[in-house]
Amino acid sequence: MSTTPRTSLDGFHATKTAQQADELARAFVAAVSAQDYAAFDTILARNFLSYAVEGVRSRTALKKYYAGLHQSFSDLRFEVHENVGVLVENDLIALRTVVTGTHTGDYAGVPATGKPIQTSVSHIFRFRDDRLVEHWQVMDTYRILVKIGRLPGVAAQFQQLLGVPESPEGIFVEKAGTTFDTPRLGRPATADESRAVGRRLYDGAITTGVAEDVDALAEGYIQNTGWTPDGRSYFGNAWAVGRGAMPDGRAVQAHVVAENDRVASISVWDGTIAAAGTPVDFASADFLRIEDGVAAEHWDTVDYVRLYQSFGLLPQDA
């Protein structure tokens, strides 16, 4: 009997189209790791466009972008975060990737340090006719830049502002989360139910800034990416502080993908930090596992460089 944990390829998807979309996204991730840019021409449509904070990239420009990362980091690998899985809804695919490598070439003006790096990149793709046609990406470059000494580690200062325990070395401690095949109790959630829970979460403390508005979270809520400890009270209290700092701030969900007991979204944030008058301008990607009508578990990828700039913890030219 195999002891390999199940993944989203193992019976999670209800349709053959969704299964093929999962395989297509995985082929893209494998091509990035293998520097197989010829494979891009069969995976990505000729009119493919990729959107990120740095701008819009064509298929050719995306090849150059990943080639540049490989020049900066030897043994660079993008791997599907299997505890999260690959989600498919209609013509959209969502997944989170864990990125590792060794800093052996110039990156952001920093010569090789030989230090290992690890971060996350989250993706939403649109697919058509067995090709990926659009791509939205959120990458946490902050973890890389701190590790190679380009930026100071300020995550603990941010946590001080939120009133939660501080992470060491100025980088949030990340957990893999529960495995995809962990037995669940109760009736399985539908995509519509999962989407509704995600909406309730955003309409709760994230929008109101009221610490008690956390009914969309499980009592034993698991926060895998470390900005707050586990538990919904920490989440609510932190958002009360965060919203107090930017009372006109909004998280606008640009894309949402729900499948079974999972929901993912990419959001853009805007508003103003009231005390300093600085604009809020960053993106985040969130993945939730839904259980018994509430969010039991959360993974995210956040553009922390721009978030910390908004809060005055990093200079604007970082």
Side-chain angles (χ1 to χ4, degrees), residues 5-315:
R6 290 166 60 88
T7 75
S8 57
L9 287 174
D10 300 314
F12 179 71
H13 305 296
T15 68
K16 181 179 179 181
T17 297
Q19 183 81 2
Q20 291 173 335
D22 187 329
E23 293 168 356
L24 182 63
R26 291 170 184 274
F28 171 84
V29 173
V32 172
S33 292
Q35 303 185 69
D36 186 358
Y37 302 118
F40 273 39
D41 294 341
T42 61
I43 297 167
L44 309 181
R46 297 189 71 170
N47 62 345
F48 172 88
L49 291 174
S50 176
Y51 310 95
V53 70
E54 302 90 348
V56 182
R57 298 184 178 97
S58 66
R59 183 171 75 175
T60 297
L62 195 67
K63 294 177 186 178
K64 292 179 180 178
Y65 167 73
Y66 286 125
L69 288 180
H70 276 280
Q71 289 175 354
S72 298
F73 302 99
S74 63
D75 59 359
L76 183 71
R77 288 194 59 79
F78 280 59
E79 295 185 333
V80 175
H81 192 154
E82 297 292 6
N83 302 53
V84 179
V86 178
L87 314 184
V88 183
E89 183 181 23
N90 299 324
D91 62 348
L92 295 178
I93 309 167
L95 68 154
R96 187 175 194 265
T97 53
V98 177
V99 182
T100 56
T102 305
H103 182 217
T104 52
D106 182 278
Y107 182 74
V110 180
T113 63
K115 293 182 178 179
I117 60 97
Q118 178 173 324
T119 193
S120 67
V121 183
S122 289
H123 315 259
I124 288 182
F125 293 99
R126 191 183 307 279
F127 67 97
R128 186 185 309 121
D129 298 329
D130 298 322
R131 296 287 187 275
L132 302 175
V133 295
E134 287 186 286
H135 176 218
W136 294 266
Q137 173 175 290
V138 179
M139 181 174 185
D140 180 4
T141 58
Y142 169 80
R143 295 177 70 95
I144 299 174
L145 295 170
V146 171
K147 194 68 175 180
I148 66 175
R150 174 66 175 81
L151 291 179
V154 296
Q157 293 173 248
F158 183 62
Q159 289 172 309
Q160 286 177 10
L161 293 175
L162 299 179
V164 300
E166 300 170 21
S167 295
E169 300 182 15
I171 298 176
F172 298 150
V173 177
E174 183 165 317
K175 300 177 293 186
T178 57
T179 57
F180 204 83
D181 60 348
T182 300
R184 314 291 181 209
L185 300 175
R187 182 179 61 82
T190 67
D192 286 344
E193 289 169 340
S194 295
R195 185 183 296 102
V197 172
R199 186 68 261 164
R200 279 169 49 210
L201 177 60
Y202 270 75
D203 289 344
I206 294 175
T207 296
T208 68
V210 177
E212 292 75 23
D213 286 351
V214 288
D215 67 300
L217 296 180
E219 193 69 50
Y221 162 78
I222 301 169
Q223 171 59 54
N224 285 309
T225 42
W227 71 279
T228 68
D230 296 344
R232 68 182 186 179
S233 62
Y234 276 115
F235 183 95
N237 291 333
W239 270 108
V241 174
R243 289 294 301 173
M246 50 175 181
D248 68 340
R250 287 194 64 195
V252 182
Q253 290 182 304
H255 298 284
V256 179
V257 182
E259 187 178 15
N260 299 329
D261 65 344
R262 311 269 164 154
V263 60
S265 65
I266 284 182
S267 302
V268 293
W269 296 72
D270 72 350
T272 309
I273 302 298
T278 54
V280 176
D281 180 21
F282 67 95
S284 68
D286 298 275
F287 294 79
L288 300 170
R289 178 177 64 80
I290 310 304
E291 188 173 351
D292 294 331
V294 290
E297 194 165 6
H298 180 207
W299 300 261
D300 59 35
T301 301
V302 179
D303 180 3
Y304 279 113
V305 171
R306 286 171 175 78
L307 185 155
Y308 295 149
Q309 286 174 328
S310 298
F311 277 83
L313 299 176
L314 289 175

